[in-house]
């Protein structure tokens, strides 16, 4: 009977999501009339539905299956075309998540599914205004740090969260930095230097929270801010960048407390290096690109003192299947000494790192449909070197009208 109701819920959610996607697609058609024959529209609307069916093993050896849903609704407006505001644009991004929490069973430190959320809400994920002035642009509003910082395009197919942003920064702040699924108010400045150079910096609210989250947006910045800077080169030859981040207010130590039992306040900061390079002609079949990232932190205000991720993406894997892609990635999250001590206090044989591998393949059987089987292996899940390796496998279904 429980299985029947679970299946009924999945069908109901799926039907509601399809109706939303159809509604947004129709809205985009109405809101973007044929103002020009070249289809140059002032407003672009998009809807993407992502569904994951994933099964995970557990430390006790019991497997369990989960269903997750992620709906992305975006609107981008060119203010020059709409109102004569030269160089201005607006971006609005609504996010809706429902479904299970597979990492509750997998019990890893870094997670296994990048659309899993702790609390299901309809959220205003991003809402910013951008002004371009020559080769510099400024964004102000609710902003996703990982949309431009600490990211590699060639890592984008992988599903494990560690390939999105380094765990050493993802686990910081009062409730996580301004990344999926909750953002914070921010100011971002980006300047292009020379033919391929860039320098970008942002100041974001330290406490993530947006419309749809309990408490909403933090307009008062009571927890201070998060400052981040990244500089590098990006072009046909690849990408090389280096970045650094710090919080303006001190953060809780993950272990040490004062005489009253309150966490000692520490200066939270870190740095990272990102690189990716095409390995052959990107326009030919089986075009491959490799990526690598390294990150470190203060090791006192986050469970991770650092980590690395590396992998390869092959596009046009089959010449007859132009949308076929294959990606393999591996990563390690090095556990901070204080957090390892916490694990030992709980009777865990603490490991120095959690290590993970992922293999995934993606293809489009239809223009609007993408199917992506995925397989992951995590060693020392949860930072427990005595735990069995965790295996997760499933399929991602993406619908994009």
């Amino acid at each position: 009977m429980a299985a029947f109701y679970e299946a009924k819920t999945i069908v109901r959610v799926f039907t509601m999501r399809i109706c939303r996607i159809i509604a947004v697609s129709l809205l985009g058609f109405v809101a973007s009339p044929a103002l020009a024959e070249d289809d140059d529209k002032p407003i672009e609307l998009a809807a993407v539905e992502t569904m994951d069916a994933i099964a995970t093993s557990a430390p006790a050896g019991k497997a369990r299956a989960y269903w997750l849903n992620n709906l992305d609704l975006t609107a981008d407006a060119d203010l020059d075309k709409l109102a004569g505001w030269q160089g201005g644009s607006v971006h609005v991004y609504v996010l809706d998540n429902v479904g299970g929490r597979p990492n509750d069973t997998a019990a890893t430190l870094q997670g296994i599914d990048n659309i899993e959320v702790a609390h299901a809400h309809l959220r205003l994920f991003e809402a910013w205004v951008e002004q371009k002035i020559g080769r510099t642009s400024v964004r102000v509003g609710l902003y996703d740090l990982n949309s431009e910082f600490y990211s590699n395009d060639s890592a984008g197919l992988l599903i494990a969260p560690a390939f999105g942003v380094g765990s050493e920064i993802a686990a910081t702040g009062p409730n996580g930095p301004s990344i999926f699924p909750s953002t914070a108010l921010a100011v971002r400045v980006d300047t292009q230097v020379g033919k391929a150079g860039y320098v970008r910096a942002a100041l974001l609210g330290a406490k993530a929270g947006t419309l749809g989250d309990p408490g909403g947006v933090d307009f008062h910045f009571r927890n201070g801010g998060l400052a981040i800077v990244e500089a590098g080169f990006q072009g046909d030859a690849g990408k090389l960048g280096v970045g650094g981040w710090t919080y303006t207010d001190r953060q809780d130590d993950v272990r040490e407390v004062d005489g009253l039992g309150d966490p000692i306040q520490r200066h939270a900061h870190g740095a990272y290096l990102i690189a990716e390079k095409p390995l052959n002609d990107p326009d030919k079949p089986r075009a491959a690109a490799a990526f690598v990232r390294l990150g470190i932190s203060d090791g006192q205000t986050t469970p991770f003192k650092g980590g690395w991720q590396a992998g390869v993406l092959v596009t046009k894997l089959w010449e007859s299947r132009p949308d076929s892609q294959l990606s393999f990635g591996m990563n390690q999250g090095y556990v901070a000494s204080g957090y390892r001590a916490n694990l030992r206090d709980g009777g865990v044989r603490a490991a120095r790192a959690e290590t993970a591998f992922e293999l995934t393949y993606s293809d489009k059987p239809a223009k609007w449909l993408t199917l992506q089987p995925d397989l992951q292996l995590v060693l020392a899940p949860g930072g427990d070197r005595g735990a069995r390796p965790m295996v997760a496998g499933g399929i991602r279904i993406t619908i994009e009208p």
Side-chain angles (χ1 to χ4, degrees):
M1 185 63 70
F4 170 76
Y5 283 114
E6 184 174 352
K8 186 176 180 181
T9 300
I10 291 174
V11 171
R12 177 178 60 82
V13 171
F14 179 78
T15 303
M16 291 175 62
R17 292 308 184 91
I18 294 299
C19 290
R20 288 188 187 183
I21 292 174
I22 293 174
V24 170
S25 299
L26 291 174
L27 180 60
F29 178 78
V30 173
S32 303
L35 300 178
E37 293 183 0
D38 62 356
D39 223 12
D40 192 12
K41 301 174 183 178
I43 300 177
E44 294 290 341
L45 301 179
V48 180
E49 168 69 7
T50 303
M51 297 169 285
D52 288 351
I54 186 168
T56 70
S57 64
K62 296 180 180 178
R64 184 175 176 184
Y66 295 85
W67 180 266
L68 298 85
N69 283 259
N70 179 95
L71 176 63
D72 298 308
L73 304 174
T74 59
D76 290 277
D78 186 326
L79 296 181
D80 190 6
K81 297 173 184 176
L82 282 176
W85 179 348
Q86 187 173 0
S89 61
V90 174
H91 173 75
V92 178
Y93 184 167
V94 175
L95 182 67
D96 191 18
N97 292 87
V98 296
R101 296 167 57 180
N103 203 50
D104 287 351
T105 299
T108 73
L109 291 177
Q110 301 185 93
I112 59 172
D113 196 307
N114 58 14
I115 65 170
E116 179 180 348
V117 297
H119 304 286
H121 295 294
L122 177 67
R123 295 175 171 90
L124 178 60
F125 183 54
E126 284 192 296
W128 46 255
V129 177
E130 180 177 77
Q131 178 64 52
K132 293 184 178 179
I133 307 171
R135 304 188 70 188
T136 299
S137 68
V138 180
R139 290 181 182 176
V140 179
L142 295 169
Y143 170 76
D144 175 18
L145 176 155
N146 194 218
S147 63
E148 296 182 302
F149 292 88
Y150 211 153
S151 65
N152 299 83
D153 290 342
S154 53
L157 190 65
L158 296 163
I159 290 175
F163 295 109
V165 66
S167 299
E168 77 282 352
I169 186 174
T172 62
N175 61 338
S178 182
I179 59 174
F180 176 90
S182 296
T183 53
L185 289 173
V187 176
R188 189 277 282 150
V189 179
D190 181 279
T191 299
Q192 301 300 302
V193 181
K195 293 183 179 180
Y198 69 91
V199 178
R200 66 177 60 108
L203 180 62
L204 312 96
K207 184 177 181 181
T210 188
L211 296 178
D213 288 325
V217 181
D218 178 16
F219 290 100
H220 302 287
F221 299 94
R222 294 188 180 93
N223 298 98
L226 168 62
I228 186 167
V229 178
E230 182 179 310
F233 300 89
Q234 183 171 14
D236 294 339
K239 179 179 181 179
L240 177 64
V242 61
W245 54 270
T246 184
Y247 282 85
T248 61
D249 288 7
R250 292 180 179 270
Q251 305 292 306
D252 292 348
D253 190 290
V254 296
R255 178 171 176 82
E256 300 296 330
V257 296
D258 60 21
L260 298 177
D262 297 321
I264 292 177
Q265 300 298 291
R266 306 286 191 186
H267 178 55
H269 57 278
Y272 61 88
L273 173 71
I274 55 176
E276 62 184 337
K277 181 175 177 56
L279 301 179
N280 52 18
D281 190 336
D283 296 323
K284 291 186 177 181
R286 287 175 290 281
F291 71 90
V292 63
R293 309 189 313 185
L294 304 170
I296 59 172
S297 78
D298 57 274
Q300 295 176 306
T301 60
T302 167
F304 302 95
K305 65 179 180 181
W308 61 268
Q309 306 88 37
V312 63
L313 171 68
V314 181
T315 57
K316 303 174 188 174
L317 182 64
W318 314 112
E319 191 168 359
S320 60
R321 307 289 307 172
D323 295 308
S324 60
Q325 300 182 82
L326 178 72
S327 187
F328 174 75
M330 60 193 108
N331 70 75
Q332 279 192 310
Y334 292 102
V335 186
S337 58
Y339 195 80
R340 290 205 312 273
N342 291 344
L343 293 175
R344 287 192 292 268
D345 289 346
V348 174
R349 296 170 57 197
R352 292 191 174 273
E354 181 181 81
T355 304
F357 304 88
E358 181 177 356
L359 179 66
T360 192
Y361 173 80
S362 174
D363 204 346
K364 287 187 173 184
K367 184 178 180 180
W368 52 272
L369 176 65
T370 302
L371 300 180
Q372 182 181 344
D374 185 84
L375 182 64
Q376 298 181 45
L377 172 67
V378 180
L379 307 179
D384 183 357
R385 60 190 176 95
R388 296 180 181 179
M390 192 288 303
V391 178
I395 186 168
R396 170 163 288 184
I397 304 168
T398 304
I399 299 173
E400 187 172 3

